[in-house]
Amino acid sequence: LFVKPDLLLLDDAFSAVDTATEERIVQGLREALPDTAVLLVSHRVSTLKLCSRVLILEDGRISADGSPEDLLQQEGFFFEMARREQLARRVGLEA
């Protein structure tokens, strides 16, 4: 029996899959659990871009909060992580 939770916690659940697979999994979760709040912990910006809201934690405190688009515009920590991830993909350091 499958119970639809009110909250689903995923702690770095997509670290071992490529971004295309990750997107399919997230889309499947959205379709299967439309009324479930999902708390997603990740160090990959590609994962966080799929979220509606992102909280950046530094030294145990929230240092930034907003949509992925908003955080990219602020050119802070999230922007730098996105830039590094993009550069790593270009030189083949990340799948």
Side-chain angles (χ1 to χ4, degrees):
L1 180 67
F2 179 70
V3 177
K4 293 186 179 185
D6 294 326
L7 175 67
L8 179 62
L9 172 60
L10 300 173
D11 187 0
D12 213 14
F14 305 116
S15 63
V17 300
D18 61 82
T19 54
T21 301
E22 171 183 74
E23 288 179 24
R24 287 193 305 273
I25 293 169
V26 169
Q27 185 57 36
L29 285 171
R30 284 183 176 145
E31 291 170 8
L33 303 168
D35 299 322
T36 298
V38 178
L39 180 59
L40 179 60
V41 178
S42 180
H43 66 279
R44 285 174 38 181
V45 172
S46 60
T47 302
L48 299 173
K49 285 182 178 179
L50 302 171
C51 300
S52 57
R53 182 177 176 195
V54 175
L55 300 174
I56 303 295
L57 297 177
E58 292 182 275
D59 298 322
R61 296 178 185 244
I62 297 172
S63 63
D65 175 6
S67 71
E69 297 82 13
D70 290 343
L71 294 177
L72 286 171
Q73 295 297 316
Q74 293 175 17
E75 297 190 17
F77 182 81
F78 190 75
F79 174 85
E80 283 302 315
M81 291 299 294
R83 187 180 66 78
R84 289 179 187 167
E85 190 173 296
Q86 187 176 37
L87 287 171
R89 261 193 240 112
R90 284 185 187 162
V91 297
L93 295 175
E94 185 173 279

